[in-house]
Amino acid sequence: MSKNALILGATSDMALAIARKFGTQGYTLTLAARNLEKLQVIKADIEIRQRAKVEIARFDAMEIANHQEFYNQLPVKPDIVFCVFGFLGDQTKAQYDWKMCEEILVSNYVGAVSILNIIANDMEARKQGTIVGISSVAGERGRQSNYIYGSAKAGFTAYLSGLRNRLCKSGVHVLTVKPGFVKTRMLDGMKTPGPLTAQPQEVAEDIYNAVANKKNTIYTRGVWRLVMYTIKSIPEPIFKKMKL
Amino acid sequence: MKKLVTNWNNYPVVEADEITFEYGGELTYKLNGHPTIAHGNGRCYGDASLSESVISTLRFNKILSFDLNEGVVICQSGVLLSELLQIIVPHGWFLPVTPGTKFITIGGAVASDIHGKNHHVDGSFSRHMQWMNVLTGTGQTLTASRHENEDLFWATCGGMGLTGVILEVCFQLKKINTSYIRQKQIKAENLDEVMVLFAEHSDYTYSVAWIDCLKSGDQFGRSILMLGEHATAEELGTKKEKLSPKEKAILSVPFHFPSFVLNELSVKAFNAMYYAKNYRKIMDSIVHYDGFFYPLDSIMNWNRIYGRKGFVQYQFVLPLKESKEGLKNIIKRISKMGMGSFLAVLKLFGEQDDLISFPMEGYTLALDFPMRPGLAEFLDDLDEVVADYGGRIYLSKDARMKKEVFWDTYANAPQFKEILKKYDPDNRFVSELSKRLKLKD
Ligand SMILES: NC(=O)c1ccc[n+]([C@@H]2O[C@H](COP(=O)([O-])OP(=O)(O)OC[C@H]3O[C@@H](n4cnc5c(N)ncnc54)[C@H](OP(=O)(O)O)[C@@H]3O)[C@@H](O)[C@H]2O)c1
């Protein structure tokens, strides 16, 4: 029987690239997102291009009360889950408007913890599975331009690391993915430096290899490890005065 | 956010806001009231898809259905022909009509009502379409076909995006047994000969000729006629994989060449073909469809060899009766001016009776002109000549024709404009082209 991949936040460009990659490799796919109209279209397209079997399900990271129900109703339990959803939001607005702030925190952190708790427990019981969390380099050090998003991703990174520590005894693999810039809808209208910007397909390739090689944490593109090392090594008295 | 937008010939360049969308519903609320126009992969040679605001269709690129038995595809307008080929060829299907590049979107194919080397047999793209959905200027998304909103259908095929945004398109593919073409190349000494050859070989599915516009005397219009049929499995033998798409960018032109390099390059290429490879009068071969249809696609960014100033493509068609005299007259003018690319593409079109599409029965010639002083005046004169012979100019390759020439040569222009008024009463879809040709007011 072929393996099943559950993709949470499946309507994003990054998720689509992941779905295509794993679909091509013979996985059946369960695509979950909050917009069913978009999901229908993506399902048709992947079935035609990748000849993969695709199921779709409605999932909203913010609707925490429904997460258990969502998972219970899945016809097949996943061998691998990708937690891809996320929300960059508006930093300035979030500083004054709790609704925006909360949406950022829940979409990037609280919602992810809620659904992954459920899935982790199931995988631990089954003693198998892979959990892939898409965090961000933004979680490595808070910067004035996006520290609310960054702090949520920092929380998510710490969560994944703890989860890995817990689940390695049960044979469950946890992979933390830290993208730098990825050319997706999230960066629409932003100009980012070419060498630091990955296409979603590259990210999907990197993730596929990291899953196959049971990696713990990857940066994608790989140069971001170096970039972040440098940024993290700037002493705080200097860092706090920088325009970042 | 404003960004610079241009098409394949780097002329003109406009600063525009770009709207992207992934599903039709999203577009309705993203349209912000500014005049706008859909923009595909930027492979046309003109100003048809340029405006102060452009709607990029490149994210609207999902394939919704592909009937393997009937060869019917439904897809969103941002899907590229190159992507479709990857999917359909392995199942024994091919594009019903394709231009000389596979890097165009389906929406662009409809808006330009593209033609290919098989026009004399299969007509243009619209002939193979079953229906499409269009988000019109009234804010409604309408299905248009030969039976439903027919006027919208005909004004959208070849309508340069002016009825609205083309969303989903349903069309019929062509059955093939192999992904190879049985090719015949025939060397013609001059224009008279190549025209006779075109007529003699009109039963070939694909035909096109490269013609040298510089030679005079006995060799005036010397050319290479290329004919093709989809190869059968027997013709292919056992040597090759029967149904393989391939897509390799072999070379890339990394920077903008100074313009003078160009002629030297193309002269060399043609002579090499004319004198060496084609040393025999007739050459038969089996070639992959990719090399047959898309020779330039293997050189990514070939447009850059024209330098930063860009270039103009000029493609006209003359009615069959006038073709011989007209071609002689025009090619002589081009060679005398010495400013045209010396190599041009010649093709005999079949009949076409669409509302606003470019093709008509007769010969069409396409050539490149690098931007340089005096070119604008020269092409204005050429327009007059084309118009006097009853011909017309291809809008997808035009960035400069005067509106008088357009209104003189496209007989159905008034009717087209009426339909535009009906589906876009408030002029929400406006391009540089529609302004230049006064198609909306
Ligand atoms: N792009 C980058 O440069 C970059 C860099 C580092 C990390 N990342 C991370 O990579 C992941 C993928 O992002 P992307 O770049 O592909 O951006 P994206 O296109 O904006 O994708 C975000 C996705 O999250 C979904 N989503 C947001 N809130 C949700 C909710 N409450 N419930 C369910 N789904 C929700 C969105 O769904 P809708 O389609 O319904 O809106 C969308 O599909 C995110 O976690 C992001 O933080 C991205």
Side-chain angles (χ1 to χ4, degrees):
Chain A
M1 235 192 63
S2 72
K3 292 190 167 183
N4 181 271
L6 170 64
I7 304 183
L8 302 167
T11 46
S12 78
D13 295 337
M14 199 185 291
L16 185 59
I18 293 169
R20 291 198 195 290
K21 178 68 195 173
F22 282 78
T24 309
Q25 299 296 330
Y27 282 75
T28 63
L29 305 170
T30 304
L31 305 182
R34 55 187 173 176
N35 186 328
L36 277 179
E37 186 190 343
K38 279 201 219 174
L39 273 182
Q40 289 286 3
V41 168
I42 289 173
K43 169 182 156 76
D45 186 83
I46 294 180
E47 283 177 341
I48 293 167
R49 293 194 206 222
Q50 274 73 42
R51 300 265 141 209
K53 209 171 143 301
V54 181
E55 297 293 338
I56 59 175
R58 215 191 84 80
F59 170 81
D60 189 326
M62 308 268 289
E63 292 172 7
I64 286 169
N66 299 337
H67 286 181
Q68 186 69 55
E69 172 77 0
F70 159 80
Y71 192 71
N72 291 348
Q73 290 201 337
L74 290 179
V76 268
K77 299 296 175 253
D79 298 287
I80 181 167
V81 58
F82 297 90
C83 188
V84 190
F85 58 83
F87 177 55
L88 188 56
D90 180 335
Q91 166 70 30
T92 318
K93 197 169 169 208
Q95 286 164 204
Y96 302 99
D97 173 355
W98 178 248
K99 237 179 99 39
M100 168 61 76
C101 190
E102 188 180 21
E103 197 178 333
I104 296 175
L105 297 179
V106 178
S107 318
N108 293 295
Y109 179 57
V110 180
V113 170
S114 155
I115 186 68
L116 288 186
N117 273 351
I118 296 166
I119 298 175
N121 293 343
D122 178 46
M123 286 186 171
E124 186 178 43
R126 289 192 280 143
K127 294 210 173 305
Q128 60 124 329
T130 304
I131 295 172
V132 180
I134 313 294
S135 188
S136 172
V137 296
E140 306 260 290
R141 193 162 192 179
R143 296 175 298 127
Q144 61 180 337
S145 58
N146 71 352
Y147 64 85
I148 293 180
Y149 169 81
S151 64
K153 287 294 191 188
F156 189 39
T157 300
Y159 172 83
L160 290 169
S161 137
L163 200 60
R164 176 162 43 244
N165 190 207
R166 166 185 156 199
L167 294 182
C168 78
K169 293 146 201 103
S170 321
V172 176
H173 172 208
V174 178
L175 168 66
T176 309
V177 180
K178 295 179 182 171
F181 295 130
V182 188
K183 201 87 201 112
T184 66
R185 187 158 37 105
M186 195 174 263
L187 297 190
D188 250 2
M190 275 189 231
K191 272 219 166 81
T192 56
L196 295 180
T197 309
Q199 293 300 320
Q201 294 81 330
E202 282 177 71
V203 171
E205 286 295 326
D206 285 353
I207 291 175
Y208 184 79
N209 293 330
V211 167
N213 297 318
K214 295 246 187 294
K215 288 269 169 33
N216 299 316
T217 299
I218 59 162
Y219 288 79
T220 167
R221 295 183 168 172
V223 298
W224 278 95
R225 186 179 291 276
L226 199 73
V227 173
M228 293 322 295
Y229 177 82
T230 315
I231 290 180
K232 279 186 291 187
S233 61
I234 302 171
E236 192 66 17
I238 301 174
F239 192 82
K240 72 175 182 195
K241 297 205 182 103
M242 292 170 74
K243 268 216 170 92
L244 287 159
Chain B
M1 192 194 63
K2 291 267 184 206
K3 66 185 244 184
L4 295 179
V5 184
T6 187
N7 286 317
W8 192 237
N9 54 334
N10 293 323
Y11 174 86
V13 181
V14 301
E15 203 179 295
D17 284 313
E18 189 184 68
I19 299 170
T20 65
F21 69 108
E22 285 171 24
Y23 64 110
E26 190 181 347
L27 192 54
T28 326
Y29 70 79
K30 275 196 175 171
L31 289 181
N32 50 13
H34 289 292
T36 185
I37 197 81
H39 188 91
N41 204 31
R43 287 299 178 113
C44 77
Y45 298 80
D47 55 1
S49 60
L50 302 178
S51 197
E52 61 184 81
S53 148
V54 297
I55 302 164
S56 170
T57 59
L58 291 180
R59 286 259 173 94
F60 190 64
N61 64 347
K62 306 294 180 297
I63 299 170
L64 307 176
S65 118
F66 171 27
D67 182 329
L68 298 182
N69 297 319
E70 300 297 321
V72 176
V73 164
I74 303 173
C75 69
Q76 296 177 334
S77 56
V79 171
L80 298 177
L81 300 189
S82 57
E83 299 175 78
L84 278 174
L85 286 166
Q86 292 291 322
I87 295 154
I88 62 177
V89 168
H91 295 282
W93 295 100
F94 199 70
L95 300 168
V97 167
T98 177
T101 173
K102 57 184 176 293
F103 299 123
I104 68 159
T105 63
I106 285 294
V110 176
S112 291
D113 195 11
I114 53 160
H115 57 266
K117 295 178 166 74
N118 55 343
H119 183 272
H120 60 291
V121 178
D122 294 320
S124 60
F125 193 76
S126 61
R127 195 188 284 183
H128 309 275
M129 284 168 60
Q130 298 189 351
W131 55 263
M132 66 184 144
N133 290 330
V134 185
L135 171 62
T136 64
T138 59
Q140 282 172 293
T141 297
L142 298 174
T143 301
S145 72
R146 287 175 185 76
H147 321 289
E148 193 179 355
N149 297 312
E150 295 123 273
D151 55 349
L152 178 62
F153 182 81
W154 292 117
T156 305
C157 296
M160 312 313 289
L162 294 171
T163 53
V165 183
I166 299 164
L167 297 173
E168 293 83 14
V169 181
C170 174
F171 61 101
Q172 174 70 53
L173 301 169
K174 183 191 197 88
K175 187 94 199 117
I176 53 171
N177 293 312
T178 75
S179 51
Y180 287 80
I181 301 288
R182 174 162 53 80
Q183 175 180 265
K184 187 186 278 303
Q185 289 176 304
I186 309 178
K187 204 154 69 166
E189 298 300 330
N190 51 45
L191 185 66
D192 291 335
E193 189 184 349
V194 78
M195 291 178 81
V196 170
L197 287 171
F198 261 115
E200 277 178 12
H201 293 92
S202 61
D203 50 341
Y204 264 86
T205 306
Y206 299 107
S207 62
V208 70
W210 284 97
I211 176 166
D212 176 349
C213 294
L214 287 190
K215 284 281 182 218
S216 54
D218 285 352
Q219 287 200 310
F220 175 77
R222 64 172 188 161
S223 24
I224 300 172
L225 176 66
M226 297 185 213
L227 304 163
E229 289 295 342
H230 289 284
T232 61
E234 298 81 64
E235 285 164 346
L236 192 62
T238 50
K239 289 185 296 274
K240 292 165 175 146
E241 193 187 338
K242 262 193 351 204
L243 289 166
S244 64
K246 70 173 167 193
E247 190 183 355
K248 277 187 281 198
I250 301 157
L251 285 168
S252 174
V253 179
F255 55 88
H256 291 270
F257 271 73
S259 329
F260 62 81
V261 184
L262 169 77
N263 266 357
E264 221 173 305
L265 271 179
S266 48
V267 171
K268 280 201 184 121
F270 183 82
N271 283 341
M273 213 156 65
Y274 200 83
Y275 292 113
K277 193 170 155 210
N278 270 42
Y279 60 97
R280 275 181 281 138
K281 173 95 184 161
I282 301 180
M283 294 272 293
D284 290 302
S285 51
I286 301 273
V287 297
H288 191 268
Y289 77 75
D290 201 65
F292 183 79
F293 289 108
Y294 313 116
L296 285 177
D297 280 353
S298 58
I299 312 172
M300 286 294 224
N301 308 324
W302 63 264
N303 54 335
R304 292 186 183 161
I305 60 180
Y306 284 94
R308 238 176 243 296
K309 275 183 275 176
F311 63 103
V312 175
Q313 260 225 357
Y314 191 75
Q315 180 172 1
F316 63 86
V317 57
L318 300 178
L320 194 52
K321 286 204 316 299
E322 311 288 348
S323 282
K324 192 171 214 164
E325 195 199 317
L327 281 173
K328 282 191 176 155
N329 181 348
I330 292 170
I331 295 174
K332 273 191 188 131
R333 283 166 190 264
I334 293 168
S335 85
K336 211 163 72 209
M337 284 301 287
M339 49 161 68
S341 59
F342 89 112
L343 255 195
V345 174
L346 182 67
K347 154 105 204 118
L348 178 56
F349 277 155
E351 277 177 45
Q352 171 115 13
D353 46 13
D354 283 0
L355 181 70
I356 200 71
S357 298
F358 165 67
M360 63 163 89
E361 189 175 19
Y363 278 87
T364 179
L365 189 78
L367 61 165
D368 301 340
F369 292 95
M371 290 304 257
R372 64 171 83 163
L375 179 64
E377 296 76 9
F378 174 70
L379 292 180
D380 283 343
D381 290 346
L382 223 49
D383 286 354
E384 297 291 330
V385 180
V386 170
D388 285 346
Y389 284 111
R392 61 188 174 217
I393 287 161
Y394 191 15
L395 296 182
S396 306
K397 298 195 173 173
D398 173 54
R400 39 146 300 277
M401 174 184 12
K402 293 211 164 81
K403 66 173 190 300
E404 294 76 16
V405 177
F406 170 79
W407 284 88
D408 267 7
T409 54
Y410 278 79
N412 295 328
Q415 210 184 328
F416 177 55
K417 190 168 173 172
E418 277 309 303
I419 303 174
L420 294 184
K421 215 174 261 165
K422 173 173 167 192
Y423 289 101
D424 185 21
D426 304 324
N427 296 335
R428 294 168 75 178
F429 296 101
V430 172
S431 63
E432 295 300 309
L433 177 134
S434 77
K435 283 192 253 173
R436 180 165 55 83
L437 302 181
K438 294 273 178 300
L439 279 164
K440 301 233 169 166
D441 46 32

